[in-house]
Amino acid sequence: MKQSKLFTKTRREVPADEVAKNAQLLIRAGYIHKEMAGVYSYLPFGLRVIENIKQIVREEMQFIGAEEILMSSMQRKELWEQTNRWNDKIVDVWFKSKLHAGGEVGFGWSHEEPIGEMMKNYISSYRDLPVFVYQFQNKLRNELRAKSGIMRGREFLMKDMYSFALGEEDHEKFYQSSIEAYHRVYNRLGIGNDTFVTFASGGAFTKFSHEFQTITEAGEDFIYINREKNIAINEEVLNDDTLKELDITHDDLEKVKTAEVGNIFNFGTQKAEDLGLFYTNSEEKKIPVWMGSYGIGISRVMGVLVEKFSDEKGIVWPESVAPFQVHLVALDLDNEEVRKQAEQVYQVLEQKGIEVLYDDREGVRAGEKFADSDLLGMPWRFVVSKRTAGNIEVKKRTESASQVVSLEKAIEIIN
Ligand code: ATP
Ligand code: MG
């Protein structure tokens, strides 16, 4: 990608009402565009980050046997009435609208009811189970406050997965494998060490659900952790009962500020009973399907990464999600030799399948190019200039020291 061809530009100013660091940096770097409070559009680089995060999640969900689908945003009112969740007093984040043809629709803030209903078409016998499906889908929620940038959107991207099992044992197997898959996801995203499986309030069926909470000052939650025992409890369920059950005392817990990056639920058979999702077992008996639901906030995770991995100069992307691995910054482009070398380096990197952003802009000062490079935050910076004399100055975004080496050596270093 040549930077001179980009329609997005870096900038100093951010919208006056934007208070969150993640959105400020992402807007300044041209990754996202703010439509209104809590609503953001993703520009080419922002989309590349989103796609990289999605790909990591996709690989891990496929690994545990889930199949990808994409459901609609428009949902039927009648369906949510069956589970008593159409009522605005019970679900306070609904966006709803009326059809010209008559009737009401809701815009999906979750897909638990629609997917349960849909599965009635595909699940009828014990032979059809278990089923695991997931999607990446924009959720719409009428959130009261939207002050956390892309970490709390009124429209945001979620990975939601649903499991349909024969019974508790069947369910539990998948539930455990999902916890492991989530750990792998957060490890690959570089936040594994700061992300805790946290006891949180459950649903109608179980006492607890499990949240995945990542330590960050930008979070909106507080949890209580014990690092040695690897126990984490959120505020809602922190009481004598829970402490006793987990065999821990209040004094052994440390209070930390976190962002909820994932949440998994065991529904038992309640939802299937409400929706009428049953299967017949080998004795021709009708049994309600055991359901679970598993979310990851894809766009929130992107915000958390920016909050955690940035410095006073800009973003510092982990290699696993960076839009480009290498930022090739060419200076002195009016010099014929330097220009030729830069073009050649660009082509070689592309041929080797290394994702490279090439700052080929003419008439932009070196200081400005470096400032932009730091703001954009690619893991590696390659500088080509008169001074590097046919070689490349290689620098990691996380370090201040650089070294001047041959192209061959530079490629070796980043690999
Ligand atoms: P919160 O408590 O932060 O409002 P939630 O418990 O309502 O979130 P879930 O319904 O569990 O959220 O959704 C699954 C995941 O989607 C969450 O763990 C979170 O990572 C993400 N998420 C939820 N709401 C938002 C939002 N408004 N903007 C961005 N991501 C969100
Ligand atoms: Mg939650």
Side-chain angles (χ1 to χ4, degrees), residues 25 28 310-315 371 374-376 397:
L25 282 173
R28 281 184 50 216
S310 53
D311 58 20
E312 65 294 340
K313 291 179 182 158
I315 305 168
D374 283 337
L375 177 60
L376 288 165
R397 176 66 180 82

Side-chain angles (χ1 to χ4, degrees), residues 211 260 262-263 265:
E211 289 173 346
E260 183 194 315
N263 200 180
F265 284 93

Side-chain angles (χ1 to χ4, degrees), residues 213-357:
Q213 294 273 8
T214 307
I215 298 179
T216 167
E217 274 309 305
E220 296 182 6
D221 295 352
F222 286 102
I223 64 165
Y224 296 80
I225 60 172
N226 182 303
R227 290 175 198 267
E228 284 87 69
K229 292 191 176 165
N230 201 19
I231 287 177
I233 307 168
N234 89 2
E235 273 187 322
E236 294 169 342
V237 298
L238 185 74
N239 52 44
D240 291 342
D241 253 15
T242 306
L243 291 173
K244 204 165 147 202
E245 191 170 330
L246 300 176
D247 190 22
I248 198 154
T249 66
H250 211 298
D251 293 341
D252 294 329
L253 295 168
E254 171 194 350
K255 183 178 182 180
V256 288
K257 202 165 186 199
T258 54
E260 183 194 315
V261 291
N263 200 180
I264 62 174
F265 284 93
N266 178 352
F267 289 139
T269 56
Q270 188 59 54
K271 191 154 306 275
E273 282 171 52
D274 291 345
L275 293 168
L277 176 62
F278 293 86
Y279 69 94
T280 44
N281 70 6
S282 51
E283 281 114 47
E284 295 293 315
K285 207 176 141 212
K286 266 182 99 184
I287 316 252
V289 174
W290 199 291
M291 283 178 65
S293 127
Y294 313 78
I296 291 183
I298 301 293
S299 42
R300 178 175 292 178
V301 161
M302 178 171 164
V304 169
L305 294 180
V306 174
E307 292 285 344
K308 290 182 78 72
F309 306 122
S310 53
D311 58 20
E312 65 294 340
K313 291 179 182 158
I315 305 168
V316 187
W317 291 116
E319 299 208 22
S320 59
V321 302
F324 299 91
Q325 290 312 299
V326 173
H327 196 177
L328 171 62
V329 178
L331 310 177
D332 311 319
L333 278 171
D334 47 354
N335 180 300
E336 193 53 34
E337 256 170 65
V338 173
R339 166 171 291 283
K340 265 205 208 132
Q341 191 211 346
E343 287 289 333
Q344 199 217 344
V345 170
Y346 178 53
Q347 277 168 24
V348 170
L349 292 176
E350 291 245 292
Q351 278 160 15
K352 294 209 180 281
I354 296 165
E355 289 173 315
V356 53
L357 172 66

Side-chain angles (χ1 to χ4, degrees), residues 1-10 45 324 327-330 333 339 343 346 356-364 369 372 376:
M1 171 91 229
K2 289 190 172 174
Q3 218 166 325
S4 63
K5 303 276 192 293
L6 264 183
F7 78 86
T8 58
K9 306 272 181 286
T10 58
F45 288 11
F324 299 91
H327 196 177
L328 171 62
V329 178
L333 278 171
R339 166 171 291 283
E343 287 289 333
Y346 178 53
V356 53
L357 172 66
Y358 172 27
D359 189 348
D360 61 334
R361 294 174 299 168
E362 286 180 58
V364 178
K369 286 198 171 191
D372 278 354
L376 288 165

Side-chain angles (χ1 to χ4, degrees), residues 90-126:
I90 290 166
V91 172
D92 61 2
V93 294
W94 269 120
F95 282 111
K96 297 173 177 175
S97 189
K98 289 194 169 64
L99 295 174
H100 285 316
E104 269 183 287
V105 290
F107 297 102
W109 61 277
S110 159
H111 281 72
E112 286 151 6
E113 274 73 348
I115 197 157
E117 174 72 12
M118 184 175 90
M119 282 302 169
K120 284 155 77 175
N121 294 284
Y122 309 102
I123 296 168
S124 55
S125 145
Y126 66 95

